[in-house]
Amino acid sequence: MKVLACIFRRSLSTHIAGGLDLVVVPGLAFTLEGHRLGRGKGYYDVFLDKCRKIQGTPPLTVGLAFSQQVVPYVPTDKDDICVDRVLYST
């Protein structure tokens, strides 16, 4: 997890230099509506929330998945942030 924290710190300093345009968000499963099942720690939800607060225009968020990872439902709560697009193989 130290690597992830290091990436987040570098990325947040990128916001000061003009911001991020795109964030590829990992996930174990996605819905077509953009709901995402991560690993349960909320790292990306916190990061994306910071992006939205720091930048005037939030970055586009994309989840990359195999078709088997696209499911009709994933459990979510109020702090989960949806991705804008889900790209998957057919």
Tab-separated table of all heavy atoms in Angstrom, residues 40-76:
chain	number	residue	atom	x	y	z
A	40	GLY	N	-12.335	-2.909	-1.081
A	40	GLY	CA	-12.937	-2.634	0.215
A	40	GLY	C	-12.232	-1.640	1.108
A	40	GLY	O	-12.683	-1.384	2.217
A	41	LYS	N	-11.154	-1.044	0.660
A	41	LYS	CA	-10.432	-0.076	1.502
A	41	LYS	C	-10.810	1.370	1.193
A	41	LYS	O	-10.523	2.257	1.971
A	41	LYS	CB	-8.920	-0.250	1.339
A	41	LYS	CG	-8.413	-1.625	1.659
A	41	LYS	CD	-8.230	-1.813	3.120
A	41	LYS	CE	-7.579	-3.182	3.342
A	41	LYS	NZ	-7.487	-3.525	4.717
A	42	GLY	N	-11.385	1.639	0.036
A	42	GLY	CA	-11.834	2.981	-0.307
A	42	GLY	C	-10.756	3.934	-0.795
A	42	GLY	O	-10.983	5.141	-0.874
A	43	TYR	N	-9.580	3.417	-1.153
A	43	TYR	CA	-8.489	4.297	-1.572
A	43	TYR	C	-8.867	5.150	-2.786
A	43	TYR	O	-8.618	6.352	-2.813
A	43	TYR	CB	-7.228	3.494	-1.912
A	43	TYR	CG	-6.585	2.814	-0.728
A	43	TYR	CD1	-6.473	1.434	-0.679
A	43	TYR	CD2	-6.085	3.562	0.334
A	43	TYR	CE1	-5.878	0.804	0.402
A	43	TYR	CE2	-5.496	2.950	1.417
A	43	TYR	CZ	-5.391	1.566	1.446
A	43	TYR	OH	-4.814	0.955	2.515
A	44	TYR	N	-9.441	4.535	-3.796
A	44	TYR	CA	-9.774	5.285	-5.008
A	44	TYR	C	-10.951	6.228	-4.776
A	44	TYR	O	-11.003	7.302	-5.364
A	44	TYR	CB	-10.029	4.343	-6.189
A	44	TYR	CG	-8.749	3.934	-6.846
A	44	TYR	CD1	-8.036	2.832	-6.395
A	44	TYR	CD2	-8.223	4.672	-7.896
A	44	TYR	CE1	-6.836	2.472	-6.979
A	44	TYR	CE2	-7.015	4.318	-8.488
A	44	TYR	CZ	-6.331	3.214	-8.018
A	44	TYR	OH	-5.139	2.868	-8.598
A	45	ASP	N	-11.884	5.852	-3.925
A	45	ASP	CA	-12.995	6.756	-3.621
A	45	ASP	C	-12.488	8.027	-2.946
A	45	ASP	O	-12.904	9.132	-3.294
A	45	ASP	CB	-14.034	6.052	-2.736
A	45	ASP	CG	-14.676	4.881	-3.438
A	45	ASP	OD1	-15.103	5.055	-4.596
A	45	ASP	OD2	-14.752	3.794	-2.844
A	46	VAL	N	-11.562	7.885	-2.019
A	46	VAL	CA	-10.958	9.049	-1.346
A	46	VAL	C	-10.175	9.880	-2.355
A	46	VAL	O	-10.293	11.110	-2.395
A	46	VAL	CB	-10.053	8.598	-0.173
A	46	VAL	CG1	-9.238	9.757	0.371
A	46	VAL	CG2	-10.886	7.953	0.920
A	47	PHE	N	-9.377	9.218	-3.190
A	47	PHE	CA	-8.583	9.922	-4.188
A	47	PHE	C	-9.468	10.691	-5.164
A	47	PHE	O	-9.223	11.863	-5.455
A	47	PHE	CB	-7.700	8.931	-4.938
A	47	PHE	CG	-6.930	9.552	-6.061
A	47	PHE	CD1	-5.874	10.407	-5.813
A	47	PHE	CD2	-7.272	9.280	-7.376
A	47	PHE	CE1	-5.168	10.978	-6.853
A	47	PHE	CE2	-6.574	9.851	-8.426
A	47	PHE	CZ	-5.519	10.702	-8.156
A	48	LEU	N	-10.517	10.044	-5.680
A	48	LEU	CA	-11.405	10.711	-6.643
A	48	LEU	C	-12.166	11.861	-5.996
A	48	LEU	O	-12.407	12.886	-6.630
A	48	LEU	CB	-12.365	9.696	-7.263
A	48	LEU	CG	-11.702	8.636	-8.139
A	48	LEU	CD1	-12.723	7.589	-8.562
A	48	LEU	CD2	-11.027	9.259	-9.346
A	49	ASP	N	-12.521	11.710	-4.732
A	49	ASP	CA	-13.180	12.803	-4.019
A	49	ASP	C	-12.234	14.005	-3.913
A	49	ASP	O	-12.647	15.147	-4.131
A	49	ASP	CB	-13.618	12.331	-2.639
A	49	ASP	CG	-14.396	13.383	-1.890
A	49	ASP	OD1	-15.393	13.901	-2.451
A	49	ASP	OD2	-14.013	13.710	-0.740
A	50	LYS	N	-10.961	13.751	-3.621
A	50	LYS	CA	-9.975	14.838	-3.558
A	50	LYS	C	-9.802	15.493	-4.924
A	50	LYS	O	-9.695	16.712	-5.024
A	50	LYS	CB	-8.636	14.324	-3.050
A	50	LYS	CG	-8.635	14.020	-1.579
A	50	LYS	CD	-7.283	13.530	-1.120
A	50	LYS	CE	-7.329	13.173	0.352
A	50	LYS	NZ	-6.040	12.676	0.834
A	51	CYS	N	-9.778	14.677	-5.977
A	51	CYS	CA	-9.657	15.228	-7.334
A	51	CYS	C	-10.802	16.200	-7.615
A	51	CYS	O	-10.595	17.281	-8.156
A	51	CYS	CB	-9.695	14.115	-8.379
A	51	CYS	SG	-8.216	13.122	-8.494
A	52	ARG	N	-12.008	15.799	-7.265
A	52	ARG	CA	-13.184	16.634	-7.527
A	52	ARG	C	-13.152	17.922	-6.726
A	52	ARG	O	-13.624	18.954	-7.188
A	52	ARG	CB	-14.455	15.843	-7.224
A	52	ARG	CG	-14.670	14.735	-8.220
A	52	ARG	CD	-15.880	13.927	-7.904
A	52	ARG	NE	-16.088	12.927	-8.941
A	52	ARG	CZ	-17.091	12.098	-8.969
A	52	ARG	NH1	-17.996	12.110	-8.020
A	52	ARG	NH2	-17.200	11.222	-9.953
A	53	LYS	N	-12.601	17.868	-5.527
A	53	LYS	CA	-12.535	19.070	-4.692
A	53	LYS	C	-11.425	20.014	-5.122
A	53	LYS	O	-11.571	21.230	-5.053
A	53	LYS	CB	-12.340	18.671	-3.231
A	53	LYS	CG	-13.577	18.046	-2.624
A	53	LYS	CD	-13.345	17.631	-1.198
A	53	LYS	CE	-14.609	16.999	-0.632
A	53	LYS	NZ	-14.396	16.452	0.700
A	54	ILE	N	-10.303	19.473	-5.582
A	54	ILE	CA	-9.142	20.292	-5.923
A	54	ILE	C	-9.269	20.909	-7.311
A	54	ILE	O	-8.957	22.072	-7.510
A	54	ILE	CB	-7.843	19.458	-5.825
A	54	ILE	CG1	-7.571	19.098	-4.368
A	54	ILE	CG2	-6.662	20.200	-6.411
A	54	ILE	CD1	-6.428	18.126	-4.185
A	55	GLN	N	-9.728	20.121	-8.280
A	55	GLN	CA	-9.807	20.581	-9.658
A	55	GLN	C	-11.155	21.224	-9.945
A	55	GLN	O	-12.179	20.788	-9.440
A	55	GLN	CB	-9.637	19.397	-10.624
A	55	GLN	CG	-8.278	18.795	-10.617
A	55	GLN	CD	-8.119	17.721	-11.679
A	55	GLN	OE1	-7.224	16.928	-11.549
A	55	GLN	NE2	-8.922	17.666	-12.709
A	56	GLY	N	-11.134	22.219	-10.805
A	56	GLY	CA	-12.386	22.825	-11.236
A	56	GLY	C	-13.213	21.856	-12.063
A	56	GLY	O	-14.410	21.719	-11.876
A	57	THR	N	-12.565	21.167	-12.985
A	57	THR	CA	-13.218	20.152	-13.808
A	57	THR	C	-12.670	18.795	-13.384
A	57	THR	O	-11.466	18.556	-13.492
A	57	THR	CB	-12.904	20.376	-15.307
A	57	THR	OG1	-13.328	21.679	-15.669
A	57	THR	CG2	-13.603	19.342	-16.166
A	58	PRO	N	-13.531	17.908	-12.899
A	58	PRO	CA	-13.021	16.603	-12.460
A	58	PRO	C	-12.519	15.776	-13.636
A	58	PRO	O	-12.990	15.934	-14.763
A	58	PRO	CB	-14.230	15.947	-11.796
A	58	PRO	CG	-15.412	16.640	-12.345
A	58	PRO	CD	-14.972	18.024	-12.708
A	59	PRO	N	-11.554	14.898	-13.403
A	59	PRO	CA	-11.048	14.066	-14.492
A	59	PRO	C	-12.082	13.028	-14.916
A	59	PRO	O	-12.944	12.636	-14.132
A	59	PRO	CB	-9.822	13.385	-13.873
A	59	PRO	CG	-10.102	13.357	-12.413
A	59	PRO	CD	-10.892	14.600	-12.136
A	60	LEU	N	-11.994	12.598	-16.161
A	60	LEU	CA	-12.814	11.502	-16.644
A	60	LEU	C	-12.318	10.229	-15.965
A	60	LEU	O	-11.115	9.992	-15.904
A	60	LEU	CB	-12.682	11.373	-18.162
A	60	LEU	CG	-13.425	10.222	-18.817
A	60	LEU	CD1	-14.929	10.449	-18.729
A	60	LEU	CD2	-12.994	10.055	-20.258
A	61	THR	N	-13.233	9.417	-15.436
A	61	THR	CA	-12.852	8.170	-14.789
A	61	THR	C	-13.331	7.001	-15.636
A	61	THR	O	-14.473	6.986	-16.094
A	61	THR	CB	-13.437	8.072	-13.376
A	61	THR	OG1	-14.846	8.259	-13.420
A	61	THR	CG2	-12.820	9.110	-12.457
A	62	VAL	N	-12.425	6.049	-15.858
A	62	VAL	CA	-12.715	4.902	-16.711
A	62	VAL	C	-12.327	3.623	-15.981
A	62	VAL	O	-11.233	3.537	-15.415
A	62	VAL	CB	-11.932	5.002	-18.037
A	62	VAL	CG1	-12.137	3.757	-18.884
A	62	VAL	CG2	-12.328	6.243	-18.805
A	63	GLY	N	-13.236	2.652	-15.989
A	63	GLY	CA	-12.925	1.328	-15.475
A	63	GLY	C	-12.679	0.401	-16.650
A	63	GLY	O	-13.447	0.408	-17.614
A	64	LEU	N	-11.595	-0.366	-16.605
A	64	LEU	CA	-11.279	-1.325	-17.649
A	64	LEU	C	-11.612	-2.718	-17.131
A	64	LEU	O	-11.216	-3.080	-16.029
A	64	LEU	CB	-9.794	-1.258	-18.019
A	64	LEU	CG	-9.286	0.072	-18.543
A	64	LEU	CD1	-7.790	-0.002	-18.801
A	64	LEU	CD2	-10.023	0.473	-19.799
A	65	ALA	N	-12.337	-3.507	-17.943
A	65	ALA	CA	-12.794	-4.806	-17.458
A	65	ALA	C	-12.883	-5.823	-18.580
A	65	ALA	O	-13.010	-5.464	-19.750
A	65	ALA	CB	-14.172	-4.654	-16.814
A	66	PHE	N	-12.828	-7.083	-18.199
A	66	PHE	CA	-13.208	-8.166	-19.094
A	66	PHE	C	-14.723	-8.283	-19.027
A	66	PHE	O	-15.348	-7.842	-18.048
A	66	PHE	CB	-12.561	-9.481	-18.654
A	66	PHE	CG	-11.068	-9.488	-18.789
A	66	PHE	CD1	-10.259	-9.400	-17.670
A	66	PHE	CD2	-10.474	-9.599	-20.036
A	66	PHE	CE1	-8.883	-9.413	-17.782
A	66	PHE	CE2	-9.093	-9.604	-20.164
A	66	PHE	CZ	-8.297	-9.512	-19.037
A	67	SER	N	-15.343	-8.871	-20.025
A	67	SER	CA	-16.808	-8.969	-20.036
A	67	SER	C	-17.337	-9.718	-18.807
A	67	SER	O	-18.426	-9.424	-18.319
A	67	SER	CB	-17.303	-9.623	-21.323
A	67	SER	OG	-16.762	-10.920	-21.459
A	68	GLN	N	-16.566	-10.663	-18.276
A	68	GLN	CA	-16.987	-11.414	-17.096
A	68	GLN	C	-17.048	-10.537	-15.837
A	68	GLN	O	-17.698	-10.894	-14.861
A	68	GLN	CB	-16.030	-12.591	-16.813
A	68	GLN	CG	-15.966	-13.614	-17.910
A	68	GLN	CD	-14.923	-13.290	-18.979
A	68	GLN	OE1	-14.447	-12.162	-19.108
A	68	GLN	NE2	-14.581	-14.295	-19.766
A	69	GLN	N	-16.376	-9.404	-15.862
A	69	GLN	CA	-16.368	-8.501	-14.717
A	69	GLN	C	-17.533	-7.512	-14.733
A	69	GLN	O	-17.714	-6.771	-13.779
A	69	GLN	CB	-15.059	-7.717	-14.665
A	69	GLN	CG	-13.855	-8.561	-14.331
A	69	GLN	CD	-12.590	-7.740	-14.424
A	69	GLN	OE1	-12.075	-7.508	-15.516
A	69	GLN	NE2	-12.111	-7.278	-13.287
A	70	VAL	N	-18.285	-7.474	-15.812
A	70	VAL	CA	-19.441	-6.581	-15.896
A	70	VAL	C	-20.664	-7.369	-15.429
A	70	VAL	O	-21.034	-8.373	-16.035
A	70	VAL	CB	-19.633	-6.041	-17.324
A	70	VAL	CG1	-20.843	-5.134	-17.391
A	70	VAL	CG2	-18.381	-5.299	-17.777
A	71	VAL	N	-21.238	-6.908	-14.327
A	71	VAL	CA	-22.337	-7.621	-13.680
A	71	VAL	C	-23.531	-6.685	-13.497
A	71	VAL	O	-23.398	-5.464	-13.571
A	71	VAL	CB	-21.880	-8.192	-12.317
A	71	VAL	CG1	-20.773	-9.227	-12.502
A	71	VAL	CG2	-21.399	-7.086	-11.397
A	72	PRO	N	-24.723	-7.242	-13.234
A	72	PRO	CA	-25.901	-6.391	-13.085
A	72	PRO	C	-25.924	-5.563	-11.797
A	72	PRO	O	-26.555	-4.508	-11.747
A	72	PRO	CB	-27.070	-7.370	-13.090
A	72	PRO	CG	-26.530	-8.713	-13.334
A	72	PRO	CD	-25.055	-8.656	-13.304
A	73	TYR	N	-25.226	-6.031	-10.748
A	73	TYR	CA	-25.301	-5.340	-9.456
A	73	TYR	C	-24.008	-5.540	-8.674
A	73	TYR	O	-23.439	-6.629	-8.675
A	73	TYR	CB	-26.475	-5.890	-8.633
A	73	TYR	CG	-26.490	-5.400	-7.202
A	73	TYR	CD1	-26.965	-4.135	-6.893
A	73	TYR	CD2	-26.004	-6.195	-6.175
A	73	TYR	CE1	-26.954	-3.686	-5.582
A	73	TYR	CE2	-26.004	-5.755	-4.864
A	73	TYR	CZ	-26.473	-4.495	-4.574
A	73	TYR	OH	-26.456	-4.044	-3.282
A	74	VAL	N	-23.542	-4.466	-8.027
A	74	VAL	CA	-22.488	-4.574	-7.016
A	74	VAL	C	-22.941	-3.782	-5.805
A	74	VAL	O	-23.600	-2.741	-5.929
A	74	VAL	CB	-21.107	-4.066	-7.515
A	74	VAL	CG1	-20.572	-4.928	-8.621
A	74	VAL	CG2	-21.150	-2.628	-7.929
A	75	PRO	N	-22.636	-4.257	-4.598
A	75	PRO	CA	-23.039	-3.523	-3.400
A	75	PRO	C	-22.259	-2.214	-3.280
A	75	PRO	O	-21.054	-2.187	-3.515
A	75	PRO	CB	-22.700	-4.484	-2.258
A	75	PRO	CG	-21.691	-5.420	-2.819
A	75	PRO	CD	-21.940	-5.493	-4.293
A	76	THR	N	-22.959	-1.146	-2.963
A	76	THR	CA	-22.319	0.163	-2.810
A	76	THR	C	-22.844	0.840	-1.549
A	76	THR	O	-23.864	0.442	-0.989
A	76	THR	CB	-22.618	1.081	-4.016
A	76	THR	OG1	-24.023	1.247	-4.138
A	76	THR	CG2	-22.059	0.490	-5.300
